[in-house]
Amino acid sequence: MKSAKEVAEIQQKLQDLGVKYCIGAYVDIHGIPKAKVVPIDHLPQMAAGSERYTGYALDGLGQAPSDDELNSVPDLDHIIQLPWEPKVAWMPADNHFQGKPYPLNTRVALKNVLAQAAEMGFGMNLGIECEIYLLKQNADGSLSIPNPDDKLDKACYDVRGFMDNFAWLDKMASAINSLGWDLYSFDHEDANSQFEFDFNYSDALTTCDRLTFFRYMAKHYAKEDGLVATMMPKPFSDKTGTGAHFNMSLYDLKTGANLFACDPKDDPRGLGLTTLGYQFIAGILKHGPALCAAFAPTVNSYKRLVRRGAMSYFSWAPVFNSYGSNNRTNSVRVPMGGGRCESRNADGAVNPYLAATLALAAGLEG
């Protein structure tokens, strides 16, 4: 935790930026942010865990009605000033219980497994591909494609479909870059009114924080335009589902070197992966069916994990607990050039902290 002096310095800096309120957002088992809003004058108390919560009111935190309250402790190293409302600062938070980090909080769980990896000399790199639909909600509650011109059977990379939604896309891209996430590509994805944002990978905890905020931000900017942004795994039976592919590698904590990377010529399998990388994949595959419950956590998720279904052509969904290179039906793919493995089971409903926790634990076992 920060010292009182450090907290006071952060408080003053935020006040100078015009911040009036702070949100310390932890997540429930579904990855949904939960928080109280605290005036900036009370940031020191908030940083010390002043905000308390009845855990039984939250999904998946393992408390009974008679249990003592949880509290939340914000991570003051990962503050985001809301791009659309600079009076508010967002901070990811951990739950604590009776003065200690609460292990059933999934962000705390990820920190605990990252600490186990650190004892082995490893850190975890994680990049998540953010696929998302931009839709219209009709009077009866159903969802539909808002742009009638976005109707190609194979809409992937469609320039017109992209530019017709430029206002929302520009808001998103500008905000991502203003936050320092380093957006390097975004495009019209495979389905009508589906898009993908790719920003640079980071350490696992930071990337999970970013995905959580990304979903919140995307929904806000869509609402400004009278639309709905959703990462629902399969909103339409006849269109491509929404993935949130996890691109993973381990790095050396001392040097920062990627420990999965090697020249494909030095890899007997030719994929550009070290022995450690294959061992990590072995752990993922060993626990593949169980991991799928975290990577694909809803009933709707399994409407995505089909070979074809109602689509006019084959889906890109991973339907085999296997690994390989460019065969997208593998649950684990080693992209061209190697150096990382991609779990393709992860979808837009994922709680990234929970999935990263379990994937790292399985990989370390391998």
Side-chain angles (χ1 to χ4, degrees), residues 35-362:
K36 294 181 181 179
V37 180
V38 174
I40 188 67
D41 291 343
H42 289 270
L43 178 61
Q45 293 91 332
M46 179 188 184
S50 65
E51 303 314 303
R52 304 182 70 82
Y53 301 85
T54 303
Y56 186 65
L58 302 158
D59 247 355
L61 288 179
Q63 283 209 308
S66 59
D67 286 336
D68 288 344
E69 293 174 311
L70 302 169
N71 60 343
S72 67
V73 177
D75 186 337
L76 300 182
D77 291 323
H78 291 83
I79 299 172
I80 293 175
Q81 189 173 11
L82 297 191
W84 63 89
E85 181 45 88
K87 294 177 184 177
V88 179
W90 166 290
M91 308 161 190
D94 299 332
N95 290 122
H96 284 219
F97 182 64
Q98 297 180 343
K100 297 179 181 179
Y102 187 57
L104 293 187
N105 171 278
T106 52
R107 193 172 189 269
V108 172
L110 177 55
K111 284 184 170 182
N112 289 341
V113 180
L114 286 169
Q116 295 172 20
E119 292 177 359
M120 303 167 71
F122 303 145
M124 182 185 184
N125 287 321
L126 177 61
I128 300 178
E129 302 168 33
C130 297
E131 297 178 1
I132 190 163
Y133 273 91
L134 185 65
L135 302 173
K136 178 176 69 174
Q137 188 163 26
N138 303 310
D140 63 358
S142 63
L143 297 174
S144 62
I145 307 302
N147 178 11
D149 291 331
D150 193 347
K151 58 186 179 182
L152 295 177
D153 189 40
K154 288 198 171 185
C156 203
Y157 313 125
D158 182 47
V159 173
R160 186 173 73 162
F162 180 96
M163 292 306 298
D164 283 351
N165 290 282
F166 183 76
W168 177 77
L169 291 163
D170 180 49
K171 287 179 185 178
M172 288 293 296
S174 298
I176 288 169
N177 275 332
S178 74
L179 296 172
W181 298 0
D182 189 18
L183 179 73
Y184 60 84
S185 177
F186 58 128
D187 63 86
H188 193 297
E189 253 299 319
D190 199 60
N192 309 112
S193 208
Q194 185 187 40
F195 304 92
E196 179 175 323
F197 294 85
D198 294 314
F199 43 84
N200 205 7
Y201 69 87
S202 188
D203 65 275
L205 188 68
T206 296
T207 295
C208 292
D209 290 341
R210 289 176 176 176
L211 178 66
T212 301
F213 187 78
F214 172 89
R215 289 194 286 216
Y216 173 60
M217 179 169 66
K219 290 178 180 295
H220 172 83
Y221 282 133
K223 191 175 182 179
E224 284 188 347
D225 295 336
L227 299 172
V228 174
T230 180
M231 294 181 77
M232 183 178 180
K234 192 76 169 178
F236 303 103
S237 62
D238 62 345
K239 302 187 191 304
T240 304
T242 305
H245 304 157
F246 274 42
N247 291 270
M248 302 173 285
S249 64
L250 298 180
Y251 65 90
D252 187 304
L253 280 178
K254 292 182 179 179
T255 67
N258 182 349
L259 298 175
F260 285 9
C262 72
D263 191 315
K265 295 177 183 178
D266 298 327
D267 175 2
R269 299 175 179 86
L271 298 182
L273 211 61
T274 62
T275 299
L276 182 68
Y278 286 111
Q279 291 170 336
F280 189 92
I281 289 174
I284 297 290
L285 295 180
K286 176 183 177 182
H287 296 285
L291 287 173
C292 202
F295 280 131
T298 69
V299 171
N300 184 257
S301 298
Y302 296 88
K303 297 179 180 180
R304 167 181 170 259
L305 297 179
V306 295
R307 297 187 190 186
R308 184 166 180 174
M311 294 176 61
S312 61
Y313 58 96
F314 287 103
S315 76
W316 300 97
V319 292
F320 299 109
N321 187 42
S322 55
Y323 84 96
S325 55
N326 277 331
N327 184 341
R328 262 69 171 188
T329 62
N330 291 313
S331 62
V332 179
R333 171 176 169 254
V334 180
M336 185 181 298
R340 58 190 163 103
C341 63
E342 174 195 37
S343 173
R344 297 179 53 76
N345 282 342
D347 67 35
V350 70
N351 175 343
Y353 303 106
L354 177 61
T357 298
L358 298 177
L360 178 57

